Amino acid sequence: MIPTARPDRKGRPHRDDPDQLSGTFVHPALFYADRHEYLAGTVPFIRAGLAAGEPVMVAVPGGNLDHIRTALGADAGRVQLHDMSVAGRNPGRIIPGVLLAFAAAHLGKRVRIIGEPIWAGRSAIEYPACAQHEALINAAFAGRPATILCPYDTTRLDRRWLDDAYRTHPVVQLGDEVRESSQYADPIAVAAGFNLPLPDPPDEATTISIDFHALPAIRRVVTAEAIAAGLSPDRVSDLTLAVSELAANTVRHTGAGGTLAVWTDRTRLICQLTDSGHITNPLAGRIPVPPQQPGSRGLLLVNQLCDLVRVHTVPGATTVRLHMHR
């Protein structure tokens, strides 16, 4: 059973104070080896939330979603269900578009969520953004009345990914054993460890300099490349909008312009924007922006539109790489 207790200042639960839950965040990792262990860890968690009158959401990959739906029977209709391979295809959209959106729809209530953002189908290219997501949940939900349980498949996931789960979750569950994670670390520091340089674009990439006068040409280039790559009209529009937003931000916030590179590989169209800016907020693009900051929504919008967004940022240089599957 997942501990339901007031967390200490590091996010770990105090077991001597089980009733003070209203404004606290609990974030356990559930390690499972097979379907039996998966359902043993998730279904009682869901039913406990329903019994307590908590709004419950499950966002897990399709196969596991089917297992949970079947196991819940009639109670599945009382749970908001999402296929995480769709809703969370881009890890950068999960916090704002899935988790915080659910919490915001139930203000004043404690919410209970199962979120499985890392599954065996995730690629090594996607993983750094996934690990950042798992770390930054702790910052985005600090002080919020929520419990988010994150399952990890011990038989199919990379061992290093499982090790990282101990660093991004204050609490871990293995079978019936629930304990604090001795490896849990500061979420901002863990996320910063995945702020990794990106490989250079291939020599055959189409490149164009970014400045105010180039913005119309940038839109034309991206649209043409997206059509040539076989993207649907809606996805052509989404990618063109995403690149336009980032290019406009480069012009608006840097004095040196930047560079756009566009290329395809076997499965994706990739657009990379590089400029001299520096993104200092680790939650940029992952949390809703207050209305009084109308010019700060670019990365948030980009995360919602693209299949994967990778960012490398240091003082004086930022690279944002957008991926759209063909």
Side-chain angles (χ1 to χ4, degrees):
M1 182 176 180
I2 298 301
T4 53
R6 174 176 54 85
D8 65 17
R9 62 186 177 87
K10 293 185 178 181
R12 299 186 178 97
H14 286 296
R15 297 178 186 274
D16 60 350
D17 194 11
D19 297 321
Q20 297 187 30
L21 270 170
S22 59
T24 64
F25 176 53
V26 183
H27 185 208
L30 168 68
F31 295 100
Y32 69 94
D34 53 32
R35 183 173 66 176
H36 172 76
E37 290 185 2
Y38 188 81
L39 294 176
T42 57
V43 173
F45 175 85
I46 295 167
R47 293 197 188 282
L50 295 176
E54 298 174 355
V56 181
M57 179 177 71
V58 175
V60 301
N64 284 341
L65 188 66
D66 291 340
H67 296 326
I68 287 176
R69 183 186 288 112
T70 299
L72 286 175
D75 281 339
R78 302 169 61 194
V79 178
Q80 189 171 129
L81 302 174
H82 294 286
D83 184 342
M84 185 65 99
S85 66
V86 177
R89 187 171 194 171
N90 172 19
R93 78 165 68 118
I94 299 173
I95 291 176
V98 180
L99 305 182
L100 285 176
F102 184 71
H106 300 283
L107 290 177
K109 295 183 178 181
R110 181 171 191 85
V111 297
R112 183 173 293 228
I113 299 170
I114 299 176
E116 189 171 3
I118 300 175
W119 58 88
R122 285 292 199 191
S123 68
I125 294 172
E126 295 170 315
Y127 179 70
C130 294
Q132 288 179 319
H133 158 78
E134 284 284 62
L136 292 172
I137 287 177
N138 298 291
F141 273 82
R144 293 177 181 268
T147 304
I148 301 178
L149 175 70
C150 301
Y152 281 79
D153 186 338
T154 59
T155 61
R156 297 195 294 166
L157 292 179
D158 189 298
R159 180 71 246 179
R160 293 167 295 181
W161 298 7
L162 299 175
D163 290 342
D164 285 337
Y166 284 88
R167 300 197 296 138
T168 57
H169 294 78
V171 181
V172 295
Q173 179 178 354
L174 300 91
D176 293 331
E177 180 189 3
V178 178
R179 57 183 170 83
E180 297 176 0
S181 172
S182 61
Q183 285 80 48
Y184 179 68
D186 177 79
I188 303 302
V190 172
F194 291 94
N195 177 32
L196 303 170
L198 299 169
D200 291 335
D203 292 339
E204 65 270 18
T206 299
T207 60
I208 183 170
S209 296
I210 300 172
D211 59 35
F212 177 78
H213 300 289
L215 294 180
I218 286 171
R219 288 191 286 270
R220 289 195 297 270
V221 167
V222 173
T223 298
E225 294 279 353
I227 292 172
L231 270 62
S232 68
D234 286 348
R235 288 168 65 77
V236 170
S237 297
D238 286 348
L239 183 61
T240 301
L241 176 58
V243 173
S244 297
E245 183 68 27
L246 292 180
N249 282 347
T250 291
V251 172
R252 186 179 301 119
H253 298 297
T254 74
T259 302
L260 168 67
V262 185
W263 70 97
T264 59
D265 65 13
R266 186 172 57 86
T267 61
R268 298 163 298 166
L269 175 63
I270 303 164
C271 297
Q272 175 175 294
L273 295 92
T274 304
D275 62 31
S276 59
H278 181 209
I279 300 172
T280 58
N281 180 1
L283 286 169
R286 295 178 186 261
I287 57 174
V289 178
Q292 61 269 27
Q293 299 178 23
S296 304
R297 293 181 171 83
L299 201 53
L300 184 70
L301 174 66
V302 168
N303 269 327
Q304 298 305 310
L305 295 175
C306 298
D307 292 332
L308 175 65
V309 179
R310 290 284 308 277
V311 178
H312 177 242
T313 184
V314 295
T318 290
T319 298
V320 183
R321 184 170 289 186
L322 314 180
H323 301 243
M324 294 292 265
H325 291 285
R326 299 207 270 168

